């Protein structure tokens, strides 16, 4: 299949050169293949786009977008392109923009605590370079193999959100090719003052750049961004021992510790999580369920099942979360450990002994901080998953909504359309910014079959109905026309404003809106 | 068969981990990538995961053969890095389907012209370098070593095609034999009667050639009463140890790489390294010795998702994840060389960066092969090393050519050469 | 019907004024913007009335100028830029609607001042991340919407903080609630499920609040806002550091912020600090100022809830170690200034008269954002400009506020002058214009461009200007909301 508009293809090839554009079916299929495609096409493949392009820099991106506007060809840009977000809504009249060649770390400003990255810098790369300088970055929960751009991912929430916040809050200046091809430089960048601020002059255009969810390719192309970075108290390089898949740190870094407190009830769990977060002692407060913990610490599903059985003997279904404390001094760590122990005791909890073992700490601490385990946690089990229906307002309401959602989930688990949670739950969650906000979601494991994805879609819709009926906040499955048209009327008709933004900034409607919103009347 | 891997293909998460060294150990922005193909060619199809998807597309009849498709399939060194990086997190097979993909291409007559020439040469002269068969034994002239087809020996030293016909590299093979003899090993060679192991032909998709040469070699060794094979070539090591086992022909044969043997001999005190060799040296892990060198694990079962929907295997499957490759013996050998300061590169062991010569790339896409080797030479330089030491003649050749291309002064050695200098 | 009649129908007779003495109060402010008298002043008491006013303004194409703080005003944003404008003074909407101690959120109407909110928060064990000594009449919501810098950078995660959600009547007349306040459900329904209107972002794929913040009332009128609060510490200890070299202090500040060790953290030059604390002029002021080094850093460390003494102590030790490594001396008093005294002063609004007016009667502020490294140069440039217009640099106050957890700094030059003195006013105007170009060319970012800076700021960035006008066209197609401000 080839791009329908041959003039557009020729124009793109003239700009990029033949090495950086392709309409070869085999290549297009590797972009059409996505987890979640089964929901839309009943196959592992979304419809193929007409061509894939590989721009080398901002000028190339602008040229591509302008050609698309001229020839009315829809386009969707993505960084690592992981998930149906990067291909949904496309066909042979549209193109994909793979930003892989734009992979430079432009600047690390240690004094002003920001890093400027291109879209294909992945978080492990950035974190590795930052740690050499005593710094760190937010890494999203999907893993360090994803873009370090603070608006590439769906939400940009990660395990260390309690201390490193999340995507929406880490954006500083941005270089942005608008849907019509104009180059917008947010904040200080546009005024020639560098990268340190994305707001102004006057109102902040970060307002349309993203919200709790990003625009997922629907409003032009982000070509560079400055992201806030954070202090790191560990060693500049990590001493790792072992051979894949059995990596561990040689030792837990000085003045670091990791615990997994468990509590008798969800109520106590919530109280403890929030007290710990508010006390500012933790670098990480991460609700990982025991099945996911077992998957993370094993190299195969067989081993995962065995380890879960061992962990479950100890947890017996009691909810808990991971806490990582870091500090620069013995006195600081001693204080933080004391506070943590006090809160855990006050909330009638205890530390999971399994995590207290030295070899487990040495393996798992770095997994959490580098975020290397998502494949094991969520994909290996059945092949596919969806983190569904959470939000990012209050941790308490988010967790309560997930607990209610568990009851709905059980129906599908009994029909074997979703994997059972081993007698426990699969709620993932984090507190954000010392507990001011928080997020939780139900992690659902399915097989890569159309039936399973249909069940997942149905489950998500029922959870959306739950969110609406009970006035919980907006689930993260709300995107695209369907989601916005459903939720908009209950949220001050925000969707109408979103449509106006879309229409105004993308008058020809060529920035593929399937994951954002269309400008339809 | 390619179709038998479909359950793995559809479970590719498209996470791109196959492009990178395992993130757990990633420490430097400049040394992040582990797959030469995706690093060079950028379209996702050129990654391990991308080729898995391509295999799925073919299996499901979504694509036809085109020249570009064949380029995608063959512009890959079959180094296995993608397989290892994927298997850190997932229970999938990546490399095995890629072998079957090539086998399918060959059996469907979709051949690479450069590969065709190599295979024609193989069929004619039993070697992968398109050299006259009669010259195979020349590397050993004057070596005073048994021929296993004429005399009994305990251990068979297999030189391999590259060592046999690349005169510049003969010293390394000769060093290996000399060292074994010095240590009192009853070693013999096959000389001009040696034939290719068939391993590299298999990498190109020629299963028939592997089978043929496996039969040939195993028969020769059986006739000679050989129970132990040692080789300096990692490709040959992989062929004898892993591939022959995979196709059910290895039997009880003990297969050792020269570095394993030297390490053993040094530790047993049978080789004493006394001469000082002052140099700063780094070591390149050959793919076929390291991550691909771990023993084959037979499994003939099926994927099951009962009773709890978790993907498991019946019977249980132990995945080869690169854990048990040969990593420490070469390092121990280097560390025992007096005066040598050993420094590691950034991408090592199971996440080594390929030398560029594998998978038929050096024959069909020489510029890509060269580019890959140059990347590695630059990495070696970044360690401050004066010498790049490795344990495979294909790696040595490619690195020597890369150094020359760069106009660099980095010295390239096989381990055995250095060890002999210290005796 | 006349304008007044229309408005009386909406808000009632007592809330509409055309009295000249009333109008004159809004016709100008302490800034050098050109005075323009409004048509009348209306004082709505509810969001419903505000909405009706906006609808009426759309029908009649009448400019509206929202005002939430009481006088004096300083920036020119509340002075009409065009004739026939109606001042919408919402400073009378003074409900503290809700204080949610559990979730550390307060919900207030626009007329609530810092002086009114702070004690109510204290009763609930909360405190506000507040700006430096706001005037008594300063609206909390107004301050939040202006993105005023706040004095506890550790708790300042984003330049928009501590603003959370808002209810806004857009220029179209539509009511909207930003962030998690948008829904589902009305406020009561959200509270019943335990929600707290605490998440500023959203809903969903836009941060609607960022488009009204910094807008100087050109997008709509906010009728309530929630503000993120912090827990009141159990124990708090202040420190002072003096120096003649700004660089030395900045390096120290960089590290104590990076380590997240301090709460309050700000720098003042001796002029500003003396202005803040002096009680007698001119001698008391001079004596106080002369007792101080050129630069003073003030910071505090606290212990909040759990083992507060130990929390305080480990942080103190860490700060002391940093100070030692940089050869910084930590003091409890400098000259005639006591750290504890200053701590008390800074946690409240300014006493009357407003500290900036005590000397000459008025003050003009030139402020921008920049990074630490550029500050010394920018201070030097500003000093040079002031001197070139015969404004002694030593008379100029300088306030440096690290923001966004230390990513950047708000830098503010306070030019004290005599109001009503044409020569002085002309001088201030000239300095303001000269300063913008000189500072902007050296890395100063005027993220909040008031008055004449707006033109200069937007001329530097045409694509931002065009983009903002698109937003304006969406929210205020009839251009009734404070026309003439920013780039509108």
């Amino acid at each position: 299949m080839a791009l329908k508009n041959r003039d557009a293809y020729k124009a793109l090839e003239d700009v990029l050169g033949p090495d950086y554009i392709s309409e070869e079916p085999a290549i297009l299929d590797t972009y059409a293949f996505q987890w979640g495609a089964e929901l839309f096409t009943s196959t592992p493949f979304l419809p193929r786009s007409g061509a894939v392009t590989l721009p080398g820099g901002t000028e190339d991106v602008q040229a591509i977008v302008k050609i698309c506007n001229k020839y009315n060809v829809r386009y969707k840009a993505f960084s690592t392109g992981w998930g149906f977000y990067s291909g949904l809504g496309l066909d042979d009249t549209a193109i994909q923009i793979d930003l892989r060649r734009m992979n430079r770390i432009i600047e690390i400003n240690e004094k002003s605590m920001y890093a400027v990255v291109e879209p294909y810098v992945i978080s492990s790369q950035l974190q590795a370079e930052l740690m050499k300088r005593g710094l760190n970055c937010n890494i999203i929960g999907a893993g360090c193999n994803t873009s370090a751009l603070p608006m590439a991912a769906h939400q940009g929430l990660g395990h260390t959100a309690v201390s490193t916040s999340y995507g929406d809050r880490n954006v500083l200046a941005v270089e942005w090719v608008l849907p019509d091809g104009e180059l917008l430089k947010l904040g200080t960048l546009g005024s020639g003052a560098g990268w340190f601020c994305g707001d102004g002059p006057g109102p902040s255009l970060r307002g349309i750049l993203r919200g709790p969810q990003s625009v997922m390719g629907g409003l032009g192309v982000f070509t560079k961004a400055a992201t806030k970075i954070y202090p790191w108290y560990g060693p500049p390089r990590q001493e790792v021992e072992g051979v894949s898949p059995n990596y561990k740190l040689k030792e837990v870094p000085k003045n670091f510790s990791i615990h997994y407190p468990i509590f008798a009830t969800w109520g106590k769990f919530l109280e403890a999580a929030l007290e710990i977060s508010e006390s500012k002692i933790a670098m990480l407060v991460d609700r990982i369920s025991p099945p996911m913990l077992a998957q993370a610490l094993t190299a195969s599903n067989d081993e995962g099942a065995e380890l879960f059985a061992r962990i479950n003997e100890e947890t017996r279904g009691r909810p808990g979360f991971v806490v990582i404390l870091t500090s620069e001094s013995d006195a600081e760590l001693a204080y933080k450990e004391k506070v943590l122990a006090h809160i855990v005791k006050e909330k009638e909890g205890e530390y999971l002994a399994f995590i207290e073992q030295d070899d487990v700490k040495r393996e798992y601490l770095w997994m959490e901080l580098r975020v290397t385990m998502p494949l094991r946690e969520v994909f290996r089990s059945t092949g596919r998953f969806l983190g569904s229906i959470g939000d990012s307002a209050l941790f308490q309401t988010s967790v309560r909504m997930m607990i209610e959602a568990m009851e709905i989930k059980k129906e599908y688990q009994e029909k074997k359309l979703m994997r059972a949670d081993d007698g426990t739950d699969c709620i993932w969650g984090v507190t954000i910014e010392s507990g001011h906000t928080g997020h939780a979601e139900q992690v659902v494991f399915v097989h890569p079959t159309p039936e399973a994805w249909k069940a997942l879609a149905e489950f998500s819709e029922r959870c959306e109905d739950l969110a609406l009926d009970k006035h919980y906040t907006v689930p993260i499955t709300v995107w695209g026309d369907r989601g916005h048209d459903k939720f908009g009327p209950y949220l001050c008709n925000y969707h109408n404003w979103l449509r106006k933004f879309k229409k105004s900034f993308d008058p020809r409607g060529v920035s593929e809106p399937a994951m954002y919103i269309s400008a339809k009347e | 068969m390619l179709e038998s891997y479909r359950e793995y293909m559809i479970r590719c998460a498209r996470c791109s981990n196959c492009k990178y060294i395992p993130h757990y150990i990633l420490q430097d922005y400049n040394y992040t990538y582990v797959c030469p193909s995706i690093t060079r060619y950028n379209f996702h199809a050129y990654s391990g995961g991308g080729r898995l998807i391509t295999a799925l597309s073919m299996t499901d009849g979504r694509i036809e053969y085109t020249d570009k498709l064949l380029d995608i399939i063959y512009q890959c060194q079959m180094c296995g890095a993608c397989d290892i990086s994927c298997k850190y997190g997932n229970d999938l097979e990546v490399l095995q389907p890629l072998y079957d993909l090539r086998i399918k291409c060959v059996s469907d007559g979709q051949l690479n012209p450069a590969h065709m020439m190599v295979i024609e040469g193989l069929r004619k002269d039993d070697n992968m370098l398109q050299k006259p068969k009669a010259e195979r034994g020349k590397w050993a002239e004057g070596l005073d070593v048994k021929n296993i087809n004429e005399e009994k020996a305990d251990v068979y030293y297999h030189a391999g095609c590259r060592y046999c016909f690349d005169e510049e590299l003969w010293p390394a093979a000769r060093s290996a034999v000399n060292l074994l003899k010095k240590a009192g090993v009853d070693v013999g060679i096959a000389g001009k009667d040696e034939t290719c192991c068939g391993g590299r032909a298999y990498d190109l998709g020629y299963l028939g050639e592997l089978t043929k040469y496996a039969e040939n070699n195993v028969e020769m060794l059986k006739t000679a009463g050989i129970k132990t094979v040692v080789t300096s070539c990692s490709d040959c090591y992989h062929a004898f140890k892993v591939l022959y086992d995979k196709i059910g022909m290895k039997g009880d044969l003990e297969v050792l790489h020269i570095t394993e043997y030297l390490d053993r001999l040094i530790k047993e005190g049978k080789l004493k390294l006394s001469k000082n060799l002052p140099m700063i040296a780094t070591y390149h892990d050959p793919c076929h010795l390291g991550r691909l060198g771990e023993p084959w694990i037979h499994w003939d079962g099926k994927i099951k998702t009962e009773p709890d929907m978790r993907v498991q295997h019946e019977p249980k499957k132990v995945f080869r994840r690169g854990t048990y490759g040969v990593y420490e013996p070469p390092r121990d050998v280097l560390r025992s060389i007096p005066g040598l300061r050993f420094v590691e590169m950034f991408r090592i062991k199971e996440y080594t960066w390929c030398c560029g010569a594998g998978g038929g790339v050096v024959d069909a896409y020489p510029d890509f092969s060269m580019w890959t080797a140059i990347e590695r030479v630059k990495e070696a330089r970044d360690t401050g090393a004066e010498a790049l030491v490795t344990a495979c003649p294909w790696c040595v050749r490619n690195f020597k050519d890369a150094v020359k291309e760069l106009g660099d002064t980095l010295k390239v050695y096989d381990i055995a050469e250095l060890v002999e200098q210290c005796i | 019907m006349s304008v007044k009649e229309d408005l009386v129908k909406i808000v009632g007779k007592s809330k509409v004024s055309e009295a000249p003495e009333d109008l004159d109060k809004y016709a100008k402010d302490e800034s050098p913007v050109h005075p323009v008298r409004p048509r009348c002043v209306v004082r709505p008491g509810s969001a419903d009335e505000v909405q009706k006013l906006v609808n009426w303004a759309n029908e009649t194409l009448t400019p509206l100028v929202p005002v939430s703080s009481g006088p004096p005003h300083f920036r020119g944003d509340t002075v009409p830029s065009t004739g026939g404008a109606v001042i919408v003074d919402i400073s009378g909407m003074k409900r503290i609607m809700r204080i949610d101690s559990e979730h550390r959120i307060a919900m207030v109407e626009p007329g609530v001042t810092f002086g009114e909110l702070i004690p109510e928060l204290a009763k609930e064990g909360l405190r506000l991340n507040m700006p430096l000594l706001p005037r008594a009449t300063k609206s909390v919501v107004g301050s939040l919407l202006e993105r005023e810098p706040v004095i506890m950078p550790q708790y300042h995660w984003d330049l928009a903080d501590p603003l959370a959600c808002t209810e806004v009547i857009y220029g179209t007349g539509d009511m909207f609630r930003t962030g998690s306040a948008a829904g589902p459900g009305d406020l009561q329904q959200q509270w019943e499920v335990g929600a707290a209107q605490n998440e500023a972002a959203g809903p969903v794929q836009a941060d609607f609040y960022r488009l009204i913040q910094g807008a100087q009332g050109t997008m709509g009128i906010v009728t309530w806002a929630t503000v993120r609060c912090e827990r009141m510490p159990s124990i708090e200890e202040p420190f002072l550091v003096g120096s003649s070299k700004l660089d030395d202090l900045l390096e120290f500040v960089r590290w104590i912020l990076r380590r997240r060790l301090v709460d309050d953290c700000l720098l003042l030059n001796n002029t500003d600090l003396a202005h803040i604390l002096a009680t007698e002029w001119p001698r008391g002021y001079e004596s106080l100022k002369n007792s101080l080094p050129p630069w003073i850093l003030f910071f505090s460390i606290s212990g909040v809830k759990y083992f507060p003494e130990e929390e305080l102590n480990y942080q103190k030790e860490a700060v002391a170690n940093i100070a030692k490594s940089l050869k910084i001396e930590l003091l409890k008093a400098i000259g005639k200034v006591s750290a504890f005294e200053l701590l008390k002063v800074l946690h409240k609004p300014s006493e009357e008269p407003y500290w900036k007016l005590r000397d000459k009667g008025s003050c003009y502020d030139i402020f921008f954002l920049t990074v630490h490294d550029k500050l010394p140069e920018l201070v030097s440039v500003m000093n040079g400009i002031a001197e070139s217009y015969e404004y002694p640099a030593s008379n100029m106050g300088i306030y440096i506020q690290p923001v966004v957890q230390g990513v950047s700094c708000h830098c503010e030059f306070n030019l004290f002058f005599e109001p009503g003195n044409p020569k002085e006013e002309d001088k201030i105007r000239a300095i303001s214009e000269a300063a913008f170009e000189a500072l902007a060319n050296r890395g100063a970012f005027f993220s909040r461009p008031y008055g004449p800076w707006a033109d200069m700021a937007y001329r530097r960035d045409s694509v931002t200007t065009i983009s903002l006008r698109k937003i304006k066209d969406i929210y205020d197609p009839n251009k009734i909301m404070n026309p003439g401000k920013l780039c509108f």
Side-chain angles (χ1 to χ4, degrees), chain A residues 90-108:
Chain A
L90 302 175
D91 56 29
D92 62 359
T93 64
I95 65 158
Q96 288 171 293
I97 305 176
D98 180 351
L99 296 169
R100 199 189 134 72
R101 292 171 65 209
M102 294 170 67
N103 62 0
R104 295 175 301 152
I105 297 175
I106 306 290
E107 180 187 348
I108 293 175

Side-chain angles (χ1 to χ4, degrees), chain A residues 217-406:
Chain A
L219 207 59
V221 187
F222 305 115
T223 48
K224 293 183 188 73
T227 181
K228 259 179 88 185
I229 54 183
Y230 294 87
W232 165 248
Y233 305 126
R237 299 180 75 91
Q238 316 314 314
E239 298 250 24
V240 176
E241 64 181 27
V243 179
S244 185
N246 306 315
Y247 296 123
K248 287 183 180 35
L249 294 177
K250 280 210 167 108
E251 54 182 14
V252 172
K254 194 170 180 304
N255 297 326
F256 276 55
S257 74
I258 178 168
H259 303 284
Y260 190 107
I262 50 179
F263 302 90
T265 64
W266 282 103
K268 292 292 181 194
F269 162 99
L270 281 172
E271 287 172 22
L274 289 161
E275 286 292 330
I276 290 164
S277 302
E278 195 181 304
S279 70
K280 298 184 290 154
I281 58 171
M283 179 190 180
L284 177 148
V285 173
D286 183 20
R287 158 57 180 168
I288 296 275
S289 65
M292 285 168 64
L293 179 64
Q295 289 287 99
L297 283 165
T298 51
S300 75
N301 278 345
D302 291 328
E303 294 170 57
E306 286 163 15
L307 180 59
F308 169 69
R310 272 177 52 207
I311 295 174
N312 199 38
E313 273 176 28
E314 210 189 326
T315 58
R316 298 189 302 281
R318 292 176 290 167
F321 49 85
V322 183
V323 179
I324 291 178
L325 309 177
T326 70
S327 49
E328 263 217 336
S329 69
D330 294 342
E332 188 177 344
L333 185 66
Y335 169 76
K336 289 179 175 179
E337 291 276 28
K338 185 175 176 180
V339 171
L340 180 64
H342 176 88
I343 295 171
V344 170
K345 188 174 173 195
E346 201 177 63
K347 303 303 171 189
E348 296 156 27
E350 61 185 84
Y351 290 155
L352 184 68
F354 170 75
I355 290 283
E356 300 296 318
Q357 300 171 86
D358 180 66
D359 60 335
V360 173
K361 280 184 202 265
R362 289 192 293 120
E363 182 174 6
Y364 195 61
L365 178 102
W366 188 236
M367 270 185 177
E368 278 277 13
L369 295 179
R370 179 50 66 87
V371 196
T372 63
M373 66 288 208
L375 263 301
R376 293 182 177 186
E377 283 178 331
V378 302
F379 276 97
R380 192 182 72 201
S381 173
T382 53
R384 292 291 181 262
F385 93 106
L386 195 68
S388 103
I389 74 169
D391 71 347
S392 68
L394 275 180
F395 189 56
Q396 300 93 309
T397 50
S398 208
V399 171
R400 277 189 220 118
M401 185 162 77
M402 295 311 110
I403 293 169
E404 284 203 55
M406 258 160 63

Side-chain angles (χ1 to χ4, degrees), chain C residues 278-334:
Chain C
T279 52
E280 189 268 321
W281 303 82
R283 285 217 189 89
Y285 162 76
E286 292 292 337
S287 164
L288 179 55
K289 179 176 169 177
N290 291 337
S291 77
L292 297 170
W295 294 102
I296 304 96
L297 163 67
F298 170 82
F299 67 91
S300 67
I301 302 175
S302 70
V304 184
K305 183 173 176 182
Y306 292 101
F307 314 106
E309 294 266 3
E310 291 175 51
E311 184 180 4
L312 184 73
N313 285 339
Y314 93 73
Q315 290 174 112
K316 272 171 64 177
E317 190 184 327
V319 168
N321 287 338
I322 296 169
K324 190 175 172 189
S325 71
L326 294 172
K327 298 185 175 41
I328 294 279
E329 195 184 355
L330 305 179
L331 301 167
K332 289 288 189 250
I334 292 184

Side-chain angles (χ1 to χ4, degrees), chain C residues 110-289:
Chain C
V112 174
T113 63
F114 287 92
E116 288 159 350
L117 183 58
I118 288 169
E120 296 306 312
L121 290 176
K123 289 176 192 168
E124 301 292 329
L126 296 174
R127 62 174 173 169
L128 207 49
N129 199 353
M130 54 185 281
L132 173 68
L133 291 169
R135 66 182 187 274
T137 55
K138 183 70 188 181
S139 150
V140 173
V141 172
S143 173
L144 296 170
L145 291 174
E146 286 171 48
R147 284 201 308 257
E148 284 199 325
V150 289
I151 64 172
M152 294 195 292
Q154 186 190 170
Y155 303 104
H156 196 225
W157 293 79
D158 186 296
L159 200 66
D161 287 353
L163 178 63
C165 301
T166 68
E167 180 183 81
V168 57
I169 309 297
Y170 285 133
T172 53
D174 293 291
M175 188 279 286
F176 191 79
R177 294 194 299 268
T178 64
S180 58
D186 57 32
L187 294 182
Q188 185 60 44
Q189 288 168 325
Q190 292 174 29
W191 292 330
E192 279 163 14
V193 82
Q197 297 82 40
N198 64 313
E199 165 67 291
V204 204
Q205 287 171 301
D207 275 349
F208 293 90
Y209 78 114
R210 295 189 195 275
L211 298 168
I212 48 176
Q213 218 186 12
Q216 296 176 27
T218 57
M219 302 291 179
I221 302 176
V222 171
T223 50
W224 59 252
T226 53
V227 53
R228 179 189 278 197
C229 304
E230 302 299 336
R231 206 62 72 190
M232 187 73 82
S234 305
I235 183 170
E236 208 171 1
E237 196 170 325
F239 295 88
L240 290 167
V241 180
S243 180
S244 57
K245 289 178 72 186
L246 182 57
D247 300 55
D248 291 350
L249 293 183
L250 291 173
E251 183 64 8
F252 177 60
V253 163
R254 181 167 87 79
W255 282 102
I256 59 177
L257 288 179
R258 177 165 159 154
R259 288 274 285 113
R260 307 285 194 264
L261 293 167
V262 303
D263 289 0
D264 302 322
C265 183
L266 55 119
L267 297 100
L268 297 160
N269 72 349
N270 51 11
T271 303
D272 253 2
L273 185 51
H275 269 86
I276 287 169
L277 292 176
T279 52
E280 189 268 321
W281 303 82
R283 285 217 189 89
Y285 162 76
E286 292 292 337
S287 164
L288 179 55
K289 179 176 169 177

Side-chain angles (χ1 to χ4, degrees), chain B residues 145-146 153-156 177-188 228 230 261 265 270:
Chain B
V145 63
K146 291 176 183 178
D154 286 341
V155 172
Y156 165 58
V177 171
N178 285 336
L179 286 167
L180 291 172
K181 283 170 60 184
K182 206 158 246 166
V185 176
D186 182 17
V187 61
T228 302
V230 63
Y261 214 139
L265 294 171
K270 292 179 179 165

